[in-house]
Amino acid sequence: QVQLAESGGGLVKPGGSLRLSCAASGFTFSDYYMSWIRQAPGKGLEWVSYISRSGDTIYYADSVKGRFTISRDNAKNSLYLQMDSLRADDTAVYYCAGAPDGDFVDNWGQGTLVTVSS
Amino acid sequence: EIVMTQSPATLSVSPGEGATLSCRASQSISTNLAWYQQKAGQAPRLLIYGAFTRATGIPARFSGSGSGTEFTLTISSLQSEDFAVYYCQQYIYWPPWTFGQGTKVEIK
């Protein structure tokens, strides 16, 4: 069945770095536009970053621009998010999200928790 | 950036009753709207896209309507598994994709 599985979350100090991974299975990964969407504790959903099917188009939310880098490896069916200069307000569950046409999300991972704290 | 506003923040409903959730866009988004359901401790799940098209496997008691700036998600007869938080999302003017702040449907 269709599955997205995130990994790489954890506790990191302010200013530190973390790399999230998302492994896809059960569907043709290269057919999907992919995003990272996060949810701070007790809060709503916030789109973070988007990458096109081939990886040639990338967008970031203003809140993470210049600090986060999204990438994908279609040969490995994997999506990544390199997070640098982390701040306390980056604390959230990060979801890997797949959109067949680049608009609404029809595949979500289970999420991985990132906690930024000293 | 398009701002999505959901109301009410919390809706208290008895099982078997109906529920109506609202979502308003700060400018017209035609029917480029999706609804998601999120249960506690779980990832969101797609319910509706294109404002009124149910996603695969979504029961018929969920229905979406609206266009332009005003949208509604209706749950005709709430089951125990429907108590959750519901989010709307616009996908016409992006980036950024923007979500509403959510409506929590709780047991009355």
Side-chain angles (χ1 to χ4, degrees), chain A residues 7-114:
Chain A
S7 61
L11 174 64
V12 62
K13 289 181 169 54
S17 298
L18 215 52
R19 188 190 194 216
L20 306 183
S21 299
C22 171
S25 59
F27 67 102
T28 304
F29 180 68
S30 57
D31 284 349
Y32 269 67
Y33 300 85
M34 299 298 297
S35 283
W36 289 96
I37 295 169
R38 68 184 180 184
Q39 187 170 37
K43 302 298 184 183
L45 301 168
E46 179 191 15
W47 168 78
V48 172
S49 184
Y50 158 99
I51 187 167
S52 62
R53 291 180 293 189
S54 64
D56 59 351
T57 300
I58 286 173
Y59 300 115
Y60 297 99
D62 287 345
S63 57
V64 306
K65 201 171 295 182
R67 300 187 299 120
F68 289 11
T69 303
I70 191 172
S71 62
R72 67 189 295 164
D73 185 335
N74 288 339
K76 294 183 177 180
N77 293 330
S78 293
L79 176 72
Y80 306 100
L81 187 68
Q82 176 66 41
M83 303 186 295
D84 298 319
S85 303
L86 282 160
R87 311 185 305 219
D89 61 358
D90 294 318
T91 294
V93 173
Y94 285 74
Y95 293 103
C96 170
D101 297 311
D103 34 41
F104 56 87
V105 175
D106 71 353
N107 283 320
W108 296 78
Q110 84 287 353
T112 187
L113 176 62
V114 173

Side-chain angles (χ1 to χ4, degrees), chain B residues 11 17-22 35 47-48 51 54 58-65 71-78 82 86:
Chain B
L11 193 57
E17 289 185 342
T20 301
L21 289 65
S22 296
W35 288 95
L47 293 178
I48 301 281
R54 278 189 301 276
I58 301 304
R61 63 180 180 273
F62 290 92
S63 63
S65 63
F71 301 87
T72 299
L73 175 69
T74 301
I75 311 171
S76 60
S77 176
L78 272 125
D82 300 335
Y86 293 83

Side-chain angles (χ1 to χ4, degrees), chain B residues 19-105:
Chain B
T20 301
L21 289 65
S22 296
C23 175
R24 174 178 293 178
S26 60
Q27 64 186 82
S28 178
I29 60 170
S30 184
T31 57
N32 294 279
L33 182 101
W35 288 95
Y36 302 90
Q37 176 194 66
Q38 186 178 34
K39 298 179 183 178
Q42 296 185 18
R45 176 176 71 146
L46 178 67
L47 293 178
I48 301 281
Y49 61 92
F52 52 82
T53 302
R54 278 189 301 276
T56 302
I58 301 304
R61 63 180 180 273
F62 290 92
S63 63
S65 63
S67 66
T69 61
E70 301 285 342
F71 301 87
T72 299
L73 175 69
T74 301
I75 311 171
S76 60
S77 176
L78 272 125
Q79 308 297 302
S80 58
E81 62 266 30
D82 300 335
F83 292 95
V85 180
Y86 293 83
Y87 294 95
C88 61
Q89 177 223 343
Q90 68 82 19
Y91 52 86
I92 186 172
Y93 298 115
W94 55 269
W97 287 263
T98 49
F99 295 87
Q101 79 279 20
T103 291
K104 181 180 181 181
V105 178

